[in-house]
Amino acid sequence: MNLKTLSMMGALLLLAGTGANAQKKKEVLNDSNTPLHLLQPAYKVPYGMLTTEEIKADMDRVLRYLEKNTPTRVVDKNTGKVITDYANMTADAQLERGAFRLASYEWGVTYSAMLAAAEATGDQAYYKYVTDRFQFLAEVAPHFRKVLEKYGTVDPQMKQILTPHALDDAGAVCAAMVKVQMKKNSPELKPLIDNYMDFIVNKEYRLADGTFARTRPQHNTLWLDDMFMGVPPIAWYSCIAGDKQQAYLSEAVRQIFQFADRMWVPEKKLFRHGWVEGMQDHPAFHWGRANGWALLTMCEVLDVLPEDYPQRDKILDLFRTHVRGLAACQSGEGFWHQLLDRNDSYLETSATAIYVYCFAHAINKGWIDAMAYGPVAQLGWHAVTTQINAEGQVDGTCVGTGMAFDPAFYYYRPVNVYAAHGYGPVLWAGAEMINMLNKQHPKMNDSAVQYYRTEQKTSEPIFHVMDGGAK
């Protein structure tokens, strides 16, 4: 090929390129030829409509993972051999170790979530997960108690059940057991429930006015976490307490207000994580999961309190104000931050899932407005789903956390797929999102998720609602 031929070919390619560029320029989207407001945004997490089938698929993945990783067997801790003769166990007997403990407070949340999932989906595999494990614990507990009495020592996981020493040991599992005990044909759990309640009511450390407290990290410290660890089991126990029902309800309500008196920060509409009796100043670190425990506590108590209970409206008012404060803190990715009001702290899964559950539950109960908060819950659920991996593990969850008075402590708490705190909230959130989608009428309008009181049947991307959507 000679130089003249090469030159001619180059000229032709240049002309072709010029023509292509000219045509490409004609196709550039602009305000004149395209409704730019309908362009798809580059969301970092999914955005838009959901189906109950999609939600259940995510939940089922978590269920299958947990079924594999929470066995119900007794083994010899030295040999690993399975023990079936419970009457002749020695001090070497222990619960088989899975990825998670069967009677931790995190698993108490998981059991309650599984019960809600069974009701929302109609899938009894979730209920079976709970009853299988509660039946197992109820069966082996008397035999492990004999081991403790005979040898003076026992498997630490069983000791947590037999002789609880903190609200963490007792409260959340107790509440879940009461919920099961209230159902027909449930396992006989009353001995375990009464043992837990004896600790919560009679043995847990308290301030002089009776508020649940701890002696760490400072003397007479209140942890916001303990609202959830202590109050819901008392409220739920009222349902099976016979003529003592009112006493238990009164105690649950009293605890909420005594925590709020010290830990509620009205200008932020958030709770502080910790409070120490005798401190001159009380720094307010608004830890995400602890605020979740407080909101979840109010959900649980409102579920139990009669509609005409004298102080119910006051709790409901605090709940709604807390919802407003939390909604204002949600990130553009749908998550909430580890420290709620500090946007440079990391995005955290367990708190986000708790808020999704509580917002959706409150909508379903009629406590808050679906139009205002349905999109908040839906965005939060979309965020949560990005943290459920193919195996069914939940990522992005802060590990167990003490209480501190400096930000670095919270900013640098690790996250881990084995942090048990994430699993119950995720299942609970999914269950309540299914309930919400079955009751409410979300629809995309002008690229935004909107919640309507009546079904909007139009397929138009932008539409008017002429009747206001009123019932």
Side-chain angles (χ1 to χ4, degrees):
M1 188 177 295
N2 59 34
L3 184 60
K4 183 176 180 181
T5 303
L6 285 171
S7 298
M8 289 177 64
M9 290 183 64
L12 289 171
L13 288 171
L14 181 60
L15 286 171
T18 302
N21 286 335
Q23 183 151 354
K24 185 176 181 182
K25 285 181 181 179
K26 290 179 182 177
E27 295 175 352
V28 170
L29 303 180
N30 59 44
D31 185 59
S32 296
N33 62 31
T34 303
L36 298 178
H37 59 285
L38 294 179
L39 291 179
Q40 180 61 40
Y43 292 114
K44 293 182 180 179
V45 301
Y47 183 87
M49 301 304 291
L50 276 169
T51 68
T52 57
E53 291 78 14
E54 290 170 335
I55 296 172
K56 187 172 186 297
D58 285 323
M59 294 169 62
D60 286 349
R61 208 157 64 251
V62 175
L63 172 63
R64 289 192 295 271
Y65 172 70
L66 296 184
E67 285 174 332
K68 295 176 183 176
N69 287 278
T70 48
T72 53
R73 286 189 293 260
V74 178
V75 299
D76 185 294
K77 68 180 181 182
N78 298 314
T79 66
K81 183 179 178 181
V82 175
I83 297 171
T84 57
D85 182 6
Y86 301 147
N88 292 299
M89 294 190 302
T90 70
D92 292 329
Q94 66 174 26
L95 302 184
E96 184 177 3
R97 299 306 194 241
F100 307 98
R101 292 169 291 150
L102 293 184
S104 67
Y105 76 84
E106 301 97 327
W107 236 239
V109 180
T110 303
Y111 293 132
S112 284
M114 291 277 190
L115 296 175
E119 292 182 9
T121 66
D123 187 344
Q124 290 307 298
Y126 290 94
Y127 184 67
K128 187 175 185 298
Y129 177 93
V130 179
T131 54
D132 282 354
R133 282 149 187 81
F134 280 176
Q135 180 66 60
F136 169 69
L137 293 176
E139 183 179 357
V140 302
H143 300 288
F144 274 107
R145 186 174 292 281
K146 290 179 180 177
V147 169
L148 178 60
E149 293 169 352
K150 181 176 181 179
Y151 297 99
T153 186
V154 74
D155 173 23
Q157 290 193 22
M158 285 306 306
K159 188 174 183 180
Q160 188 177 31
I161 299 172
L162 300 173
T163 59
H165 285 82
L167 288 176
D168 287 3
D169 296 340
V173 176
C174 181
M177 285 187 171
V178 172
K179 294 172 188 177
V180 171
Q181 191 70 77
M182 292 167 63
K183 296 182 180 294
K184 292 181 179 179
N185 303 316
S186 72
E188 180 47 60
L189 303 173
K190 196 67 163 47
L192 292 177
I193 292 169
D194 287 346
N195 185 57
Y196 281 138
M197 286 305 301
D198 177 57
F199 173 80
I200 294 167
V201 173
N202 300 316
K203 298 174 183 176
E204 168 62 15
Y205 186 79
R206 299 174 183 237
L207 299 184
D209 68 356
T211 308
F212 294 133
R214 305 192 191 197
T215 54
R216 66 179 178 93
Q218 303 285 348
H219 183 64
N220 284 356
T221 298
L222 297 191
W223 295 45
L224 189 59
D225 317 52
D226 286 341
M227 278 182 70
F228 181 75
M229 306 307 161
V231 178
I234 292 173
W236 280 104
Y237 191 78
S238 73
C239 299
I240 60 172
D243 59 3
K244 295 183 178 179
Q245 178 184 31
Q246 291 304 314
Y248 284 98
L249 289 178
S250 177
E251 173 66 3
V253 170
R254 182 175 75 99
Q255 289 287 339
I256 288 176
F257 291 135
Q258 289 178 182
F259 271 95
D261 284 346
R262 297 170 171 95
M263 308 189 79
W264 177 248
V265 182
E267 62 271 22
K268 288 290 185 77
K269 299 182 178 67
L270 301 170
F271 285 92
R272 57 170 53 89
H273 183 204
W275 179 93
V276 177
E277 187 175 69
M279 279 184 85
Q280 183 175 353
D281 293 318
H282 285 91
F285 289 94
H286 305 293
W287 182 38
R289 189 159 66 226
N291 270 263
W293 295 139
L295 194 69
L296 185 55
T297 295
M298 289 186 278
C299 272
E300 291 278 87
V301 173
L302 287 167
D303 279 346
V304 174
L305 282 180
E307 291 290 334
D308 59 352
Y309 194 85
Q311 293 172 293
R312 179 186 173 85
D313 286 347
K314 188 176 178 182
I315 294 177
L316 192 54
D317 182 63
L318 178 61
F319 178 87
R320 288 168 173 157
T321 306
H322 197 193
V323 163
R324 294 185 194 107
L326 291 167
C329 294
Q330 188 177 30
S331 74
E333 286 75 43
F335 292 97
W336 276 264
H337 290 271
Q338 167 79 338
L339 287 178
L340 294 168
D341 59 339
R342 301 198 181 202
N343 292 347
D344 59 340
S345 65
Y346 62 81
L347 302 173
E348 204 275 333
T349 304
S350 67
T352 299
I354 295 172
Y355 301 148
V356 170
Y357 167 75
C358 292
F359 279 45
H361 187 67
I363 288 168
N364 292 332
K365 289 285 189 176
W367 302 336
I368 61 175
D369 188 354
M371 286 192 288
Y373 299 110
V376 176
Q378 189 155 316
L379 178 62
W381 176 254
H382 275 304
V384 166
T385 62
T386 67
Q387 300 303 302
I388 305 172
N389 67 24
E391 190 177 349
Q393 295 172 316
V394 174
D395 207 349
T397 295
C398 175
V399 299
T401 296
M403 187 268 286
F405 292 114
D406 66 83
F409 172 79
Y410 295 98
Y411 274 59
Y412 291 97
R413 294 302 292 158
V415 297
N416 197 291
V417 294
Y418 295 108
H421 315 70
Y423 290 86
V426 166
L427 289 171
W428 224 341
E432 205 62 32
M433 284 298 299
I434 288 174
N435 290 335
M436 188 169 74
L437 291 183
N438 286 333
K439 291 181 178 182
Q440 302 295 328
H441 305 284
K443 185 82 172 178
M444 296 295 290
N445 192 349
D446 200 5
S447 300
V449 174
Q450 301 285 348
Y451 270 65
Y452 296 97
R453 294 192 176 97
T454 57
E455 185 179 1
Q456 305 298 307
K457 297 182 179 180
T458 179
S459 59
E460 293 297 320
I462 302 176
F463 59 89
H464 298 274
V465 185
M466 303 309 293
D467 66 354
K471 292 182 179 178

